[in-house]
Amino acid sequence: MRAKVWLVGAGPGDPELLTLKAVRALREAQVVMIDDLVNPAVLEHCPAAQVIAVGKRGGCRSTPQAFIQRLMLRHARQGRCVVRLKGGDPCIFGRGGEEALWLQEQGIEVELVNGITAGLAGATQCGIPLTLRGVSRGVTLVTAHTQDDSPLNWVGLAQGGTTLVVYMGVARLEEIRQGLLAAGMAATTPVAMIENASLPSQRECRSQLQRMGTDAAAFALRSPAVLVIGEVAGGVASAVLDPVVAQASA
Amino acid sequence: MRAKVWLVGAGPGDPELLTLKAVRALREAQVVMIDDLVNPAVLEHCPAAQVIAVGKRGGCRSTPQAFIQRLMLRHARQGRCVVRLKGGDPCIFGRGGEEALWLQEQGIEVELVNGITAGLAGATQCGIPLTLRGVSRGVTLVTAHTQDDSPLNWVGLAQGGTTLVVYMGVARLEEIRQGLLAAGMAATTPVAMIENASLPSQRECRSQLQRMGTDAAAFALRSPAVLVIGEVAGGVASAVLDPVVAQASA
Protein backbone atom coordinates (compact mmCIF):
# COMPACT_ATOMS: atom_id res chain seq x y z
CA MET A 1 0.00 0.00 0.00
CA ARG A 2 1.56 3.20 -1.17
CA ALA A 3 0.35 6.77 -1.46
CA LYS A 4 -2.08 6.93 -4.29
CA VAL A 5 -5.51 8.28 -5.12
CA TRP A 6 -8.02 5.98 -6.74
CA LEU A 7 -10.93 7.73 -8.47
CA VAL A 8 -13.49 4.97 -8.40
CA GLY A 9 -16.90 4.59 -10.00
CA ALA A 10 -19.23 3.05 -7.42
CA GLY A 11 -21.89 2.36 -10.06
CA PRO A 12 -25.51 3.47 -10.09
CA GLY A 13 -26.61 2.33 -6.64
CA ASP A 14 -26.98 -1.46 -6.64
CA PRO A 15 -23.92 -2.54 -4.61
CA GLU A 16 -23.61 -5.65 -6.82
CA LEU A 17 -22.83 -3.44 -9.81
CA LEU A 18 -19.47 -2.54 -8.28
CA THR A 19 -16.54 -3.94 -10.28
CA LEU A 20 -13.97 -6.32 -8.83
CA LYS A 21 -11.36 -3.61 -9.35
CA ALA A 22 -13.39 -1.13 -7.29
CA VAL A 23 -13.62 -3.73 -4.52
CA ARG A 24 -9.82 -4.17 -4.61
CA ALA A 25 -9.32 -0.41 -4.36
CA LEU A 26 -11.67 -0.23 -1.36
CA ARG A 27 -9.82 -3.09 0.35
CA GLU A 28 -6.52 -1.24 -0.07
CA ALA A 29 -7.92 2.12 1.02
CA GLN A 30 -6.96 3.81 4.25
CA VAL A 31 -9.15 6.83 3.54
CA VAL A 32 -12.43 6.69 1.59
CA MET A 33 -14.11 9.90 0.46
CA ILE A 34 -17.69 9.18 -0.50
CA ASP A 35 -20.05 11.27 -2.62
CA ASP A 36 -23.74 11.78 -1.89
CA LEU A 37 -24.97 9.60 -4.72
CA VAL A 38 -22.93 6.57 -3.69
CA ASN A 39 -24.78 3.79 -1.89
CA PRO A 40 -23.09 3.52 1.55
CA ALA A 41 -23.61 -0.25 1.37
CA VAL A 42 -20.43 -0.48 -0.71
CA LEU A 43 -18.46 0.53 2.38
CA GLU A 44 -18.70 -3.09 3.53
CA HIS A 45 -15.58 -3.61 1.41
CA CYS A 46 -13.49 -1.19 3.47
CA PRO A 47 -14.38 -1.82 7.13
CA ALA A 48 -11.06 -0.49 8.44
CA ALA A 49 -10.82 2.69 6.37
CA GLN A 50 -11.49 6.20 7.56
CA VAL A 51 -14.67 7.29 5.75
CA ILE A 52 -15.27 10.94 4.91
CA ALA A 53 -18.59 12.09 3.43
CA VAL A 54 -17.98 14.76 0.80
CA GLY A 55 -21.47 15.04 -0.63
CA LYS A 56 -22.13 17.84 -3.02
CA ARG A 57 -25.49 17.70 -4.72
CA GLY A 58 -26.22 19.96 -7.66
CA GLY A 59 -26.55 23.54 -6.53
CA CYS A 60 -26.08 22.86 -2.83
CA ARG A 61 -22.33 23.09 -2.32
CA SER A 62 -22.06 21.61 1.13
CA THR A 63 -18.49 20.49 0.48
CA PRO A 64 -16.73 22.78 -1.97
CA GLN A 65 -14.83 21.16 -4.81
CA ALA A 66 -11.54 22.86 -3.89
CA PHE A 67 -11.81 21.58 -0.32
CA ILE A 68 -12.35 18.00 -1.54
CA GLN A 69 -9.31 18.23 -3.76
CA ARG A 70 -7.09 19.61 -1.01
CA LEU A 71 -8.30 16.83 1.30
CA MET A 72 -7.37 14.14 -1.22
CA LEU A 73 -3.99 15.76 -1.71
CA ARG A 74 -3.26 16.08 1.99
CA HIS A 75 -4.04 12.44 2.74
CA ALA A 76 -2.03 11.23 -0.26
CA ARG A 77 0.96 13.38 0.74
CA GLN A 78 0.79 11.81 4.20
CA GLY A 79 1.41 8.49 2.46
CA ARG A 80 -2.12 7.13 2.59
CA CYS A 81 -4.01 5.19 0.00
CA VAL A 82 -7.09 7.29 -0.78
CA VAL A 83 -10.22 6.14 -2.61
CA ARG A 84 -12.59 8.77 -3.91
CA LEU A 85 -15.91 7.04 -4.56
CA LYS A 86 -18.19 8.62 -7.14
CA GLY A 87 -21.65 7.62 -8.27
CA GLY A 88 -21.72 5.91 -11.68
CA ASP A 89 -18.49 6.32 -13.64
CA PRO A 90 -15.84 8.89 -12.69
CA CYS A 91 -15.44 10.09 -16.29
CA ILE A 92 -19.11 10.41 -17.24
CA PHE A 93 -20.28 13.65 -15.60
CA GLY A 94 -18.07 12.78 -12.63
CA ARG A 95 -15.22 15.32 -12.91
CA GLY A 96 -12.80 12.40 -12.83
CA GLY A 97 -10.77 13.80 -15.70
CA GLU A 98 -10.28 17.15 -14.00
CA GLU A 99 -9.42 15.71 -10.61
CA ALA A 100 -6.98 13.19 -12.09
CA LEU A 101 -5.17 15.91 -14.02
CA TRP A 102 -4.93 18.18 -11.01
CA LEU A 103 -3.64 15.43 -8.72
CA GLN A 104 -1.06 14.34 -11.30
CA GLU A 105 0.13 17.93 -11.57
CA GLN A 106 0.71 17.83 -7.80
CA GLY A 107 2.84 14.70 -8.27
CA ILE A 108 0.29 12.22 -6.97
CA GLU A 109 -0.22 8.79 -8.56
CA VAL A 110 -3.81 8.42 -9.75
CA GLU A 111 -5.77 5.42 -10.96
CA LEU A 112 -9.27 5.62 -12.43
CA VAL A 113 -11.72 2.74 -12.12
CA ASN A 114 -14.76 2.67 -14.38
CA GLY A 115 -18.27 2.14 -13.08
CA ILE A 116 -21.71 1.39 -14.51
CA THR A 117 -23.38 4.69 -15.25
CA ALA A 118 -26.90 5.33 -13.92
CA GLY A 119 -28.50 5.88 -17.33
CA LEU A 120 -27.43 2.47 -18.54
CA ALA A 121 -28.43 0.65 -15.36
CA GLY A 122 -31.78 2.40 -15.06
CA ALA A 123 -32.72 1.64 -18.65
CA THR A 124 -31.66 -1.99 -18.33
CA GLN A 125 -33.70 -2.44 -15.15
CA CYS A 126 -36.73 -1.07 -17.02
CA GLY A 127 -36.18 -3.49 -19.92
CA ILE A 128 -35.01 -0.73 -22.25
CA PRO A 129 -32.02 -1.56 -24.48
CA LEU A 130 -30.23 1.70 -25.22
CA THR A 131 -29.28 0.45 -28.66
CA LEU A 132 -31.44 -1.81 -30.79
CA ARG A 133 -30.82 -2.95 -34.35
CA GLY A 134 -33.21 -1.28 -36.73
CA VAL A 135 -34.42 1.17 -34.08
CA SER A 136 -31.49 2.94 -32.44
CA ARG A 137 -27.97 3.01 -33.82
CA GLY A 138 -26.39 4.40 -30.73
CA VAL A 139 -26.84 6.29 -27.51
CA THR A 140 -26.03 9.81 -26.39
CA LEU A 141 -25.52 10.70 -22.73
CA VAL A 142 -25.82 14.38 -21.84
CA THR A 143 -26.28 16.41 -18.71
CA ALA A 144 -28.97 19.05 -18.51
CA HIS A 145 -27.10 20.90 -15.79
CA THR A 146 -23.96 22.70 -16.87
CA GLN A 147 -21.23 24.93 -15.57
CA ASP A 148 -22.18 27.97 -17.61
CA ASP A 149 -25.81 27.17 -18.37
CA SER A 150 -25.15 27.38 -22.10
CA PRO A 151 -27.95 25.67 -24.03
CA LEU A 152 -27.51 22.18 -25.43
CA ASN A 153 -27.45 21.77 -29.19
CA TRP A 154 -30.92 20.28 -29.39
CA VAL A 155 -30.91 20.09 -33.17
CA GLY A 156 -27.80 17.92 -33.23
CA LEU A 157 -29.10 15.79 -30.36
CA ALA A 158 -32.54 15.35 -31.93
CA GLN A 159 -31.21 14.49 -35.37
CA GLY A 160 -28.33 12.20 -34.46
CA GLY A 161 -30.61 9.17 -34.54
CA THR A 162 -29.41 7.90 -31.17
CA THR A 163 -31.29 7.18 -27.97
CA LEU A 164 -30.93 10.22 -25.73
CA VAL A 165 -30.18 9.80 -22.02
CA VAL A 166 -30.38 12.99 -19.97
CA TYR A 167 -28.82 13.21 -16.51
CA MET A 168 -29.72 15.82 -13.91
CA GLY A 169 -32.78 16.85 -15.89
CA VAL A 170 -35.61 16.79 -13.34
CA ALA A 171 -35.51 20.54 -12.79
CA ARG A 172 -35.27 21.24 -16.52
CA LEU A 173 -37.96 19.08 -18.06
CA GLU A 174 -39.72 22.00 -19.74
CA GLU A 175 -36.49 23.29 -21.27
CA ILE A 176 -35.64 19.80 -22.58
CA ARG A 177 -39.15 19.30 -23.95
CA GLN A 178 -39.21 22.63 -25.76
CA GLY A 179 -35.67 22.22 -27.08
CA LEU A 180 -36.31 18.80 -28.59
CA LEU A 181 -39.74 19.70 -29.99
CA ALA A 182 -38.32 22.84 -31.62
CA ALA A 183 -35.49 20.71 -33.06
CA GLY A 184 -38.05 18.53 -34.85
CA MET A 185 -38.27 15.51 -32.55
CA ALA A 186 -41.73 13.90 -32.76
CA ALA A 187 -44.12 14.95 -29.97
CA THR A 188 -45.04 11.31 -29.39
CA THR A 189 -41.44 10.14 -28.93
CA PRO A 190 -41.46 7.74 -25.97
CA VAL A 191 -39.79 8.88 -22.76
CA ALA A 192 -38.93 6.89 -19.64
CA MET A 193 -38.15 8.86 -16.49
CA ILE A 194 -36.29 6.67 -14.02
CA GLU A 195 -35.75 7.64 -10.40
CA ASN A 196 -33.15 5.93 -8.16
CA ALA A 197 -31.80 3.75 -10.97
CA SER A 198 -30.94 0.18 -9.95
CA LEU A 199 -31.96 0.59 -6.31
CA PRO A 200 -34.90 -1.23 -4.67
CA SER A 201 -36.56 2.21 -4.57
CA GLN A 202 -36.31 2.59 -8.35
CA ARG A 203 -39.47 4.03 -9.90
CA GLU A 204 -40.22 4.57 -13.57
CA CYS A 205 -42.66 6.88 -15.29
CA ARG A 206 -43.39 6.18 -18.95
CA SER A 207 -44.47 9.15 -20.97
CA GLN A 208 -44.06 10.94 -24.29
CA LEU A 209 -41.98 13.97 -25.15
CA GLN A 210 -44.97 16.32 -25.43
CA ARG A 211 -46.39 15.53 -21.99
CA MET A 212 -43.36 14.50 -19.98
CA GLY A 213 -43.51 17.55 -17.73
CA THR A 214 -47.11 17.04 -16.66
CA ASP A 215 -46.61 13.29 -16.29
CA ALA A 216 -43.52 13.84 -14.15
CA ALA A 217 -45.43 16.27 -11.93
CA ALA A 218 -48.31 13.81 -11.47
CA PHE A 219 -45.78 11.08 -10.70
CA ALA A 220 -43.90 13.37 -8.28
CA LEU A 221 -40.62 12.56 -10.00
CA ARG A 222 -37.63 13.49 -7.87
CA SER A 223 -33.86 13.64 -8.28
CA PRO A 224 -31.75 11.67 -8.82
CA ALA A 225 -33.37 10.57 -12.05
CA VAL A 226 -32.39 9.90 -15.64
CA LEU A 227 -34.51 10.44 -18.74
CA VAL A 228 -34.40 7.98 -21.63
CA ILE A 229 -35.80 9.59 -24.77
CA GLY A 230 -36.31 7.63 -27.98
CA GLU A 231 -38.21 4.79 -29.61
CA VAL A 232 -36.55 2.15 -27.39
CA ALA A 233 -38.30 3.69 -24.37
CA GLY A 234 -41.62 2.66 -25.90
CA GLY A 235 -40.95 -1.01 -25.46
CA VAL A 236 -39.26 -3.53 -27.69
CA ALA A 237 -41.96 -5.03 -29.87
CA SER A 238 -41.45 -8.34 -31.63
CA ALA A 239 -42.04 -6.50 -34.85
CA VAL A 240 -38.67 -4.85 -34.64
CA LEU A 241 -36.74 -8.06 -34.29
CA ASP A 242 -34.78 -8.91 -37.37
CA PRO A 243 -35.74 -12.07 -39.24
CA VAL A 244 -32.83 -14.11 -37.89
CA VAL A 245 -33.81 -13.41 -34.29
CA ALA A 246 -37.54 -13.90 -34.83
CA GLN A 247 -37.08 -17.17 -36.68
CA ALA A 248 -34.88 -18.79 -34.08
CA SER A 249 -37.75 -20.92 -32.84
CA ALA A 250 -38.80 -22.00 -36.32
CA MET B 1 -30.63 -22.65 -8.93
CA ARG B 2 -33.57 -22.61 -11.28
CA ALA B 3 -33.95 -22.44 -15.03
CA LYS B 4 -33.03 -18.97 -16.13
CA VAL B 5 -30.94 -17.18 -18.71
CA TRP B 6 -28.61 -14.44 -17.58
CA LEU B 7 -27.45 -12.06 -20.32
CA VAL B 8 -24.25 -10.80 -18.77
CA GLY B 9 -21.83 -8.06 -19.76
CA ALA B 10 -18.30 -9.35 -19.25
CA GLY B 11 -16.82 -5.88 -19.64
CA PRO B 12 -14.17 -4.69 -22.06
CA GLY B 13 -11.48 -7.31 -21.45
CA ASP B 14 -9.82 -6.61 -18.11
CA PRO B 15 -11.23 -9.42 -15.92
CA GLU B 16 -11.22 -7.03 -12.94
CA LEU B 17 -13.85 -4.89 -14.66
CA LEU B 18 -16.43 -7.63 -14.19
CA THR B 19 -19.19 -6.66 -11.74
CA LEU B 20 -19.95 -8.56 -8.55
CA LYS B 21 -23.34 -9.43 -10.03
CA ALA B 22 -21.70 -10.97 -13.11
CA VAL B 23 -19.50 -13.04 -10.81
CA ARG B 24 -22.58 -14.25 -8.95
CA ALA B 25 -24.28 -15.22 -12.21
CA LEU B 26 -21.19 -17.16 -13.29
CA ARG B 27 -21.06 -18.98 -9.95
CA GLU B 28 -24.70 -20.04 -10.38
CA ALA B 29 -24.29 -21.05 -14.01
CA GLN B 30 -24.46 -24.62 -15.19
CA VAL B 31 -23.97 -23.62 -18.83
CA VAL B 32 -21.90 -20.64 -19.97
CA MET B 33 -22.06 -19.47 -23.58
CA ILE B 34 -19.14 -17.19 -24.31
CA ASP B 35 -18.72 -14.68 -27.15
CA ASP B 36 -15.49 -14.12 -29.06
CA LEU B 37 -14.76 -10.75 -27.51
CA VAL B 38 -14.99 -11.97 -23.93
CA ASN B 39 -11.71 -12.56 -22.10
CA PRO B 40 -11.72 -16.30 -21.21
CA ALA B 41 -9.98 -15.39 -17.93
CA VAL B 42 -13.42 -14.57 -16.49
CA LEU B 43 -14.25 -18.28 -16.65
CA GLU B 44 -12.30 -18.73 -13.41
CA HIS B 45 -15.58 -17.81 -11.71
CA CYS B 46 -17.43 -20.83 -13.14
CA PRO B 47 -15.02 -23.77 -12.92
CA ALA B 48 -17.80 -26.37 -12.84
CA ALA B 49 -19.95 -25.01 -15.67
CA GLN B 50 -20.18 -26.41 -19.18
CA VAL B 51 -18.59 -23.75 -21.41
CA ILE B 52 -19.72 -23.31 -25.01
CA ALA B 53 -17.90 -20.91 -27.35
CA VAL B 54 -20.39 -19.10 -29.57
CA GLY B 55 -18.09 -16.59 -31.20
CA LYS B 56 -19.47 -14.55 -34.02
CA ARG B 57 -17.22 -11.75 -35.17
CA GLY B 58 -18.58 -9.10 -37.50
CA GLY B 59 -19.14 -10.52 -40.95
CA CYS B 60 -17.87 -14.00 -40.16
CA ARG B 61 -20.92 -15.88 -38.92
CA SER B 62 -19.26 -18.91 -37.44
CA THR B 63 -22.15 -19.46 -35.02
CA PRO B 64 -25.43 -18.18 -36.44
CA GLN B 65 -27.57 -16.02 -34.19
CA ALA B 66 -30.60 -18.29 -34.48
CA PHE B 67 -28.51 -21.30 -33.42
CA ILE B 68 -27.23 -19.46 -30.34
CA GLN B 69 -30.77 -18.53 -29.34
CA ARG B 70 -32.08 -22.07 -29.76
CA LEU B 71 -29.16 -23.36 -27.71
CA MET B 72 -29.96 -20.96 -24.84
CA LEU B 73 -33.61 -21.96 -25.02
CA ARG B 74 -32.90 -25.69 -25.05
CA HIS B 75 -30.63 -25.57 -21.99
CA ALA B 76 -33.05 -23.34 -20.08
CA ARG B 77 -35.98 -25.65 -20.90
CA GLN B 78 -33.94 -28.55 -19.53
CA GLY B 79 -33.94 -26.67 -16.23
CA ARG B 80 -30.40 -25.32 -16.35
CA CYS B 81 -29.11 -21.97 -15.29
CA VAL B 82 -27.55 -20.46 -18.43
CA VAL B 83 -25.20 -17.48 -18.60
CA ARG B 84 -24.62 -15.83 -21.95
CA LEU B 85 -21.44 -13.78 -21.64
CA LYS B 86 -21.10 -10.81 -23.97
CA GLY B 87 -18.24 -8.36 -24.39
CA GLY B 88 -18.86 -4.96 -22.81
CA ASP B 89 -22.51 -4.38 -21.94
CA PRO B 90 -25.33 -6.59 -23.28
CA CYS B 91 -27.50 -3.59 -24.21
CA ILE B 92 -24.87 -1.45 -25.93
CA PHE B 93 -24.41 -3.02 -29.37
CA GLY B 94 -24.81 -6.41 -27.73
CA ARG B 95 -28.25 -7.54 -28.96
CA GLY B 96 -29.22 -8.08 -25.33
CA GLY B 97 -32.56 -6.36 -25.80
CA GLU B 98 -33.54 -8.60 -28.71
CA GLU B 99 -32.44 -11.81 -27.06
CA ALA B 100 -34.16 -10.94 -23.78
CA LEU B 101 -37.44 -10.23 -25.56
CA TRP B 102 -37.28 -13.43 -27.58
CA LEU B 103 -36.50 -15.59 -24.55
CA GLN B 104 -39.29 -13.97 -22.53
CA GLU B 105 -41.70 -14.69 -25.37
CA GLN B 106 -40.70 -18.35 -25.05
CA GLY B 107 -41.56 -18.21 -21.36
CA ILE B 108 -38.00 -18.13 -20.06
CA GLU B 109 -36.95 -15.98 -17.10
CA VAL B 110 -34.22 -13.54 -18.15
CA GLU B 111 -31.95 -11.28 -16.17
CA LEU B 112 -29.63 -8.70 -17.71
CA VAL B 113 -26.38 -7.68 -16.02
CA ASN B 114 -24.66 -4.49 -17.13
CA GLY B 115 -20.99 -4.35 -18.01
CA ILE B 116 -18.38 -1.68 -18.65
CA THR B 117 -18.41 -0.89 -22.35
CA ALA B 118 -15.15 -0.94 -24.32
CA GLY B 119 -15.31 2.70 -25.43
CA LEU B 120 -15.48 3.93 -21.87
CA ALA B 121 -12.73 1.63 -20.59
CA GLY B 122 -10.40 2.31 -23.51
CA ALA B 123 -10.74 6.07 -23.16
CA THR B 124 -10.20 5.93 -19.41
CA GLN B 125 -7.07 3.81 -19.78
CA CYS B 126 -5.72 6.41 -22.22
CA GLY B 127 -6.44 9.23 -19.78
CA ILE B 128 -9.34 10.57 -21.85
CA PRO B 129 -12.44 11.66 -19.92
CA LEU B 130 -15.42 11.21 -22.23
CA THR B 131 -17.12 14.22 -20.70
CA LEU B 132 -15.30 17.30 -19.45
CA ARG B 133 -16.80 20.50 -18.14
CA GLY B 134 -16.31 23.33 -20.60
CA VAL B 135 -15.12 20.95 -23.34
CA SER B 136 -17.61 18.12 -23.84
CA ARG B 137 -21.16 18.12 -22.54
CA GLY B 138 -21.78 14.48 -23.21
CA VAL B 139 -20.82 11.40 -25.12
CA THR B 140 -22.34 9.56 -28.07
CA LEU B 141 -21.67 5.88 -28.69
CA VAL B 142 -22.40 4.62 -32.20
CA THR B 143 -21.51 1.59 -34.26
CA ALA B 144 -20.12 1.98 -37.74
CA HIS B 145 -21.31 -1.47 -38.72
CA THR B 146 -25.05 -1.88 -39.16
CA GLN B 147 -27.64 -4.38 -40.15
CA ASP B 148 -28.75 -2.62 -43.29
CA ASP B 149 -25.68 -0.52 -43.98
CA SER B 150 -27.74 2.66 -43.91
CA PRO B 151 -25.50 5.70 -43.43
CA LEU B 152 -25.17 7.35 -40.05
CA ASN B 153 -26.55 10.87 -39.62
CA TRP B 154 -23.13 12.52 -39.61
CA VAL B 155 -24.56 16.04 -39.40
CA GLY B 156 -26.42 15.29 -36.19
CA LEU B 157 -23.43 13.44 -34.76
CA ALA B 158 -20.97 16.18 -35.70
CA GLN B 159 -23.13 18.99 -34.35
CA GLY B 160 -24.40 17.46 -31.12
CA GLY B 161 -21.41 18.81 -29.22
CA THR B 162 -20.65 15.47 -27.59
CA THR B 163 -17.55 13.30 -27.68
CA LEU B 164 -18.09 10.66 -30.36
CA VAL B 165 -17.12 7.04 -29.69
CA VAL B 166 -17.31 4.74 -32.70
CA TYR B 167 -17.36 0.96 -32.30
CA MET B 168 -16.51 -1.51 -35.07
CA GLY B 169 -15.07 1.27 -37.21
CA VAL B 170 -11.67 -0.06 -38.27
CA ALA B 171 -12.87 -1.16 -41.69
CA ARG B 172 -14.77 2.10 -42.23
CA LEU B 173 -12.33 4.80 -41.28
CA GLU B 174 -12.53 6.54 -44.64
CA GLU B 175 -16.33 6.61 -44.58
CA ILE B 176 -16.31 8.02 -41.03
CA ARG B 177 -13.68 10.63 -41.93
CA GLN B 178 -15.53 11.80 -45.01
CA GLY B 179 -18.91 11.81 -43.26
CA LEU B 180 -17.72 13.95 -40.36
CA LEU B 181 -15.68 16.34 -42.51
CA ALA B 182 -18.65 16.86 -44.84
CA ALA B 183 -20.83 17.50 -41.79
CA GLY B 184 -18.58 20.35 -40.76
CA MET B 185 -16.40 18.78 -38.07
CA ALA B 186 -12.99 20.46 -37.93
CA ALA B 187 -10.26 18.60 -39.84
CA THR B 188 -7.93 18.93 -36.85
CA THR B 189 -10.39 17.40 -34.36
CA PRO B 190 -8.34 15.04 -32.16
CA VAL B 191 -8.93 11.31 -32.57
CA ALA B 192 -7.72 8.43 -30.42
CA MET B 193 -7.88 4.94 -31.93
CA ILE B 194 -7.71 2.34 -29.20
CA GLU B 195 -7.11 -1.34 -29.89
CA ASN B 196 -7.82 -4.07 -27.33
CA ALA B 197 -9.27 -1.65 -24.78
CA SER B 198 -8.33 -2.37 -21.15
CA LEU B 199 -6.18 -5.43 -21.95
CA PRO B 200 -2.41 -5.59 -21.41
CA SER B 201 -2.20 -5.62 -25.23
CA GLN B 202 -4.03 -2.27 -25.46
CA ARG B 203 -2.45 0.07 -28.03
CA GLU B 204 -3.44 3.63 -28.81
CA CYS B 205 -2.87 5.75 -31.88
CA ARG B 206 -3.42 9.49 -31.51
CA SER B 207 -4.35 11.31 -34.66
CA GLN B 208 -6.64 13.93 -36.14
CA LEU B 209 -9.83 13.54 -38.12
CA GLN B 210 -8.26 14.52 -41.44
CA ARG B 211 -5.44 11.98 -41.28
CA MET B 212 -6.84 9.19 -39.15
CA GLY B 213 -6.93 6.71 -42.02
CA THR B 214 -3.28 7.10 -42.95
CA ASP B 215 -2.21 7.13 -39.31
CA ALA B 216 -4.21 3.97 -38.63
CA ALA B 217 -2.60 2.25 -41.60
CA ALA B 218 0.90 3.24 -40.47
CA PHE B 219 0.05 2.02 -36.96
CA ALA B 220 -1.42 -1.22 -38.36
CA LEU B 221 -4.61 -0.70 -36.32
CA ARG B 222 -6.64 -3.89 -36.03
CA SER B 223 -10.06 -4.86 -34.68
CA PRO B 224 -11.34 -4.85 -32.05
CA ALA B 225 -10.82 -1.12 -31.67
CA VAL B 226 -12.81 1.95 -30.65
CA LEU B 227 -12.39 5.48 -31.97
CA VAL B 228 -12.73 8.45 -29.65
CA ILE B 229 -13.35 11.62 -31.67
CA GLY B 230 -13.47 15.04 -30.05
CA GLU B 231 -11.47 17.66 -28.17
CA VAL B 232 -11.08 15.43 -25.11
CA ALA B 233 -8.95 13.04 -27.21
CA GLY B 234 -6.36 15.78 -27.55
CA GLY B 235 -5.46 15.68 -23.89
CA VAL B 236 -6.84 17.52 -20.91
CA ALA B 237 -4.86 20.72 -20.55
CA SER B 238 -4.78 22.64 -17.28
CA ALA B 239 -6.19 25.55 -19.21
CA VAL B 240 -9.61 23.90 -19.42
CA LEU B 241 -9.92 23.37 -15.70
CA ASP B 242 -12.48 25.60 -14.13
CA PRO B 243 -11.28 28.16 -11.60
CA VAL B 244 -12.48 26.16 -8.61
CA VAL B 245 -10.49 23.13 -9.64
CA ALA B 246 -7.40 25.05 -10.64
CA GLN B 247 -7.32 27.08 -7.42
CA ALA B 248 -7.59 24.12 -5.10
CA SER B 249 -3.92 24.31 -4.22
CA ALA B 250 -4.02 28.07 -3.63
Side-chain angles (χ1 to χ4, degrees):
Chain A
M1 301 197 206
R2 62 207 155 134
K4 178 173 173 175
V5 176
W6 295 81
L7 301 174
V8 174
D14 177 353
E16 268 203 301
L17 289 179
L18 213 62
T19 66
L20 297 175
K21 195 170 182 180
V23 170
R24 176 163 65 88
L26 284 169
R27 286 190 182 142
E28 289 182 11
Q30 292 159 300
V31 177
V32 173
M33 295 171 59
I34 182 168
D35 266 7
D36 254 353
L37 288 174
V38 174
N39 187 339
V42 304
L43 297 175
E44 70 167 301
H45 301 293
C46 56
Q50 177 189 353
V51 175
I52 305 170
V54 291
K56 178 169 64 73
R57 290 230 182 170
C60 170
R61 298 190 164 262
S62 48
T63 311
Q65 178 68 24
F67 176 80
I68 295 172
Q69 292 178 213
R70 281 196 299 264
L71 202 57
M72 287 193 285
L73 183 64
R74 194 206 314 157
H75 284 294
R77 284 195 171 148
Q78 287 170 352
R80 300 197 181 96
C81 178
V82 180
V83 166
R84 172 130 159 78
L85 271 182
K86 292 167 174 283
D89 181 89
C91 290
I92 297 183
F93 315 126
R95 308 192 67 152
E98 294 164 71
E99 292 182 7
L101 174 67
W102 183 82
L103 287 163
Q104 284 160 349
E105 286 180 345
Q106 317 300 317
I108 303 296
E109 184 186 350
V110 177
E111 187 157 355
L112 287 148
V113 181
N114 292 123
I116 304 292
T117 189
L120 173 60
T124 300
Q125 289 303 308
C126 292
I128 301 171
L130 293 179
T131 73
L132 186 63
R133 288 155 65 104
V135 177
S136 168
R137 295 223 16 193
V139 57
T140 297
L141 315 177
V142 291
T143 171
H145 179 79
T146 62
Q147 195 170 7
D148 57 1
D149 277 336
S150 60
L152 282 160
N153 185 331
W154 297 115
V155 175
L157 296 174
Q159 296 183 353
T162 59
T163 304
L164 197 55
V165 181
V166 184
Y167 290 65
M168 291 170 269
V170 174
R172 301 189 181 217
L173 291 175
E174 184 53 23
E175 178 188 331
I176 296 164
R177 190 183 77 88
Q178 286 183 7
L180 290 172
L181 287 173
M185 189 179 273
T188 56
T189 302
V191 175
M193 298 178 274
I194 308 163
E195 189 180 290
N196 292 325
S198 87
L199 289 170
S201 56
Q202 177 176 312
R203 297 196 308 148
E204 61 176 294
C205 174
R206 298 289 180 121
S207 182
Q208 292 182 344
L209 181 59
Q210 62 189 343
R211 54 180 170 79
M212 68 183 198
T214 47
D215 285 351
F219 186 80
L221 183 76
R222 293 173 59 184
S223 291
V226 291
L227 317 177
V228 180
I229 304 171
E231 291 304 319
V232 292
V236 182
S238 304
V240 307
L241 298 183
D242 80 27
V244 172
V245 173
Q247 288 163 13
S249 57
Chain B
M1 300 198 206
R2 62 208 154 133
K4 178 173 174 175
V5 176
W6 296 80
L7 301 174
V8 175
D14 177 352
E16 268 203 301
L17 290 178
L18 213 61
T19 67
L20 296 175
K21 194 170 183 180
V23 170
R24 176 162 67 87
L26 284 169
R27 286 190 183 141
E28 289 182 11
Q30 292 159 301
V31 177
V32 174
M33 295 171 59
I34 182 168
D35 266 8
D36 254 354
L37 288 175
V38 174
N39 187 339
V42 303
L43 298 175
E44 70 167 300
H45 301 293
C46 57
Q50 177 189 353
V51 176
I52 304 170
V54 291
K56 180 168 63 72
R57 291 231 181 171
C60 169
R61 298 190 165 260
S62 47
T63 311
Q65 178 68 22
F67 175 81
I68 295 171
Q69 290 177 215
R70 282 197 298 264
L71 202 57
M72 286 192 286
L73 183 63
R74 194 205 315 156
H75 283 294
R77 284 196 171 147
Q78 287 170 352
R80 300 197 181 96
C81 177
V82 179
V83 166
R84 171 131 160 75
L85 271 182
K86 292 167 175 283
D89 181 88
C91 290
I92 297 184
F93 315 126
R95 308 192 69 152
E98 294 164 73
E99 292 182 7
L101 174 66
W102 183 81
L103 287 163
Q104 284 159 349
E105 285 181 345
Q106 318 299 317
I108 304 296
E109 184 187 349
V110 177
E111 186 158 354
L112 287 147
V113 181
N114 292 124
I116 304 292
T117 190
L120 173 59
T124 301
Q125 289 303 308
C126 292
I128 301 171
L130 293 179
T131 73
L132 186 63
R133 288 154 66 103
V135 177
S136 167
R137 297 224 14 196
V139 56
T140 297
L141 315 177
V142 291
T143 170
H145 180 80
T146 62
Q147 195 171 6
D148 59 359
D149 277 334
S150 61
L152 283 160
N153 184 331
W154 297 115
V155 174
L157 296 174
Q159 295 183 354
T162 59
T163 303
L164 196 55
V165 181
V166 184
Y167 290 66
M168 292 170 268
V170 174
R172 300 188 181 216
L173 291 175
E174 183 55 22
E175 179 187 331
I176 296 164
R177 189 182 78 89
Q178 286 183 9
L180 290 172
L181 287 173
M185 187 178 276
T188 55
T189 301
V191 176
M193 298 177 275
I194 308 164
E195 188 180 290
N196 292 323
S198 87
L199 290 170
S201 56
Q202 177 176 311
R203 297 196 308 148
E204 60 175 295
C205 174
R206 299 288 181 122
S207 181
Q208 291 182 344
L209 181 59
Q210 62 190 344
R211 55 181 169 79
M212 69 183 198
T214 47
D215 285 352
F219 185 80
L221 184 76
R222 292 173 60 184
S223 290
V226 290
L227 317 178
V228 180
I229 304 172
E231 290 305 321
V232 291
V236 182
S238 304
V240 306
L241 298 184
D242 80 27
V244 172
V245 174
Q247 287 163 14
S249 56

